[in-house]
């Protein structure tokens, strides 16, 4: 087991070259936000954009349009029932699916479309409801994707892996990941007070930072967005995912110095300044 350190930020986050444009920093599509959970997809979108995504689109319920554009005008919108969703999936670098998605028949249909439309050139980040739906039907896994990143909390992982929380040891988690996705293209980000990152070859990385003020709704949605945004810029490797996990907690720790509760929306606001700092230390 390897402890993630601040050095990973210096290694992964790079200064932006002068002769670049938004297309050079990745295209991210976020899918989620049912009638009752629009906040989840908005917080995830804020995480992706503040982590530096070049172009961001959101497929969500139309009820979320006004709130989405009020909160994150940088994001494009598509009705998740639109037939163009399939083409949008095909033409993006990273898909984040699950925040606020819900467990409806439509949500299942969206996962079927995602599975059909992804390719080996893409990374798919699966979070929240998407993982719960997959736990009910493993055939919904988008195995065509070049890289899969699963971001469950421990109860979601229990449902997906069938390993009860007290028995979620490192060896058990690695075995379950390899059984679920036999190829080595998958990463598991198991969220807890000290989040663990597992890859398909058995490596384990533990995040030593973070604080109890971060125990609030939307924190995991925000992390999924940060992971997707950083992967879009810096590639889908395990170092990128480590850096996203560490950056998320580092921002939370900074806010916790003066705040009893760390709000995910406030955490996202800290990211650009932190990333600027570490890009100059690379």
């Amino acid at each position: 087991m390897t402890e993630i350190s601040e050095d990973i930020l210096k290694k992964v986050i790079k200064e932006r070259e002068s002769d670049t444009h938004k297309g050079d920093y990745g295209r991210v599509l976020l899918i989620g936000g049912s009638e009752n959970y629009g906040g989840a997809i908005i917080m995830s979108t804020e995480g992706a954009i503040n982590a530096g995504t070049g172009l961001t689109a959101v497929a969500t319920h139309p009820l979320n349009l006004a709130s989405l554009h009020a909160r994150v005008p940088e994001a494009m919108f598509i009705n998740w029932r639109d037939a163009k969703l399939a083409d949008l999936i095909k033409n993006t670098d990273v898909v984040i699916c699950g925040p606020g998605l819900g467990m409806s028949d439509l949500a299942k249909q969206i996962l079927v479309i995602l599975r059909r439309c992804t390719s080996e050139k893409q990374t798919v980040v699966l979070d929240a409801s998407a993982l719960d739906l997959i736990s009910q039907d493993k055939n919904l896994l988008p195995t065509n994707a070049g890289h899969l990143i699963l971001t469950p909390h421990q109860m979601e992982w229990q449902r997906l892996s069938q390993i009860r929380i007290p028995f979620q040891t490192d060896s058990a988690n690695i075995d379950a990941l390899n059984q679920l996705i036999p190829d080595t293209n998958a990463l598991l980000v198991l969220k807890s007070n000290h989040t663990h990152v597992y890859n398909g070859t058995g490596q384990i990385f533990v995040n030593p930072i973070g604080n109890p003020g971060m125990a609030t709704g939307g924190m995991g949605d925000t992390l999924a967005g940060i992971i997707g945004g950083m992967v879009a810029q810096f590639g889908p490797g395990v170092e990128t995912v480590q850096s996203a996990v560490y950056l998320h907690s580092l921002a939370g720790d900074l806010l916790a110095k003066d705040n009893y509760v760390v709000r995910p929306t406030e955490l996202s606001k800290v990211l650009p300044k932190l990333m600027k700092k570490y890009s100059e230390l690379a």
Side-chain angles (χ1 to χ4, degrees):
M1 182 186 297
T2 302
E3 191 172 271
I4 306 171
S5 73
E6 181 185 36
D7 289 340
I8 199 70
L9 301 181
K10 303 173 189 176
K11 186 173 184 179
V12 171
I13 302 171
K14 309 296 183 186
E15 277 198 275
R16 294 192 166 190
E17 300 292 336
S18 175
D19 187 19
T20 53
H21 56 81
K22 57 192 175 186
D24 294 318
Y25 299 103
R27 290 171 166 81
V28 172
L29 169 64
L30 299 101
I31 307 174
S34 62
E35 297 95 322
N36 298 322
Y37 299 105
I41 198 65
I42 291 171
M43 286 185 282
S44 193
T45 303
E46 289 185 343
I49 288 175
N50 280 289
T53 303
L55 287 165
T56 306
V58 180
T60 187
H61 193 287
L63 283 174
N64 299 320
L65 173 59
S67 298
L68 175 70
H69 281 177
R71 292 284 313 191
V72 202
E74 298 88 351
M76 297 173 283
F77 164 83
I78 183 173
N79 184 332
W80 62 3
R81 291 183 179 272
D82 196 315
K84 296 178 182 177
L85 176 60
D87 289 333
L88 188 56
I89 291 171
K90 293 175 184 177
N91 291 296
T92 197
D93 301 308
V94 179
V95 180
I96 302 166
C97 184
L101 182 67
M103 302 293 288
S104 67
D105 289 341
L106 174 62
K108 295 176 188 176
Q109 292 169 18
I110 287 171
L111 284 178
V112 171
I113 294 169
L114 179 63
R115 177 184 169 90
R116 187 179 74 238
C117 294
T118 49
S119 72
E120 62 182 12
K121 296 179 181 179
Q122 296 170 296
T123 297
V124 176
V125 180
L126 295 168
D127 187 49
S129 306
L131 296 170
D132 285 338
L133 287 165
I134 291 166
S135 71
Q136 296 177 359
D137 182 0
K138 302 298 194 301
N139 291 320
L140 294 174
L141 262 173
T143 51
N144 292 334
H147 298 273
L148 286 172
I149 302 172
L150 314 183
T151 61
H153 57 58
Q154 288 178 292
M155 183 54 71
E156 289 165 343
W157 182 235
Q158 175 175 302
R159 290 190 284 265
L160 186 60
S161 68
Q162 297 299 300
I163 305 170
R164 291 171 55 203
I165 291 174
F167 303 101
Q168 290 178 2
T169 63
D170 289 331
S171 60
N173 292 334
I174 290 170
D175 288 344
L177 177 63
N178 288 333
Q179 287 179 16
L180 186 66
I181 308 167
D183 296 330
T184 58
N185 67 336
L187 293 171
L188 169 63
V189 179
L190 184 55
K191 296 177 291 193
S192 66
N193 62 324
H194 292 300
T195 293
H196 284 55
V197 179
Y198 303 89
N199 70 4
T201 62
Q203 291 180 300
I204 308 163
F205 306 91
V206 60
N207 178 33
I209 63 173
N211 64 83
M214 297 171 70
T216 186
M219 198 59 72
D221 303 310
T222 299
L223 175 59
I226 295 170
I227 290 172
M230 295 192 72
V231 166
Q233 296 168 87
F234 307 120
V238 68
E239 289 182 341
T240 302
V241 175
Q242 290 178 65
S243 68
V245 168
Y246 192 91
L247 180 69
H248 175 259
S249 290
L250 180 61
D253 283 353
L254 288 175
L255 290 170
K257 291 178 180 179
D258 300 308
N259 296 276
Y260 181 73
V261 175
V262 177
R263 294 179 60 189
T265 50
E266 295 301 312
L267 188 152
S268 289
K269 293 177 183 177
V270 176
L271 298 176
K273 185 174 288 187
L274 275 177
M275 293 184 73
K276 177 66 174 176
K277 171 186 174 181
Y278 286 98
S279 74
E280 293 174 345
L281 297 175

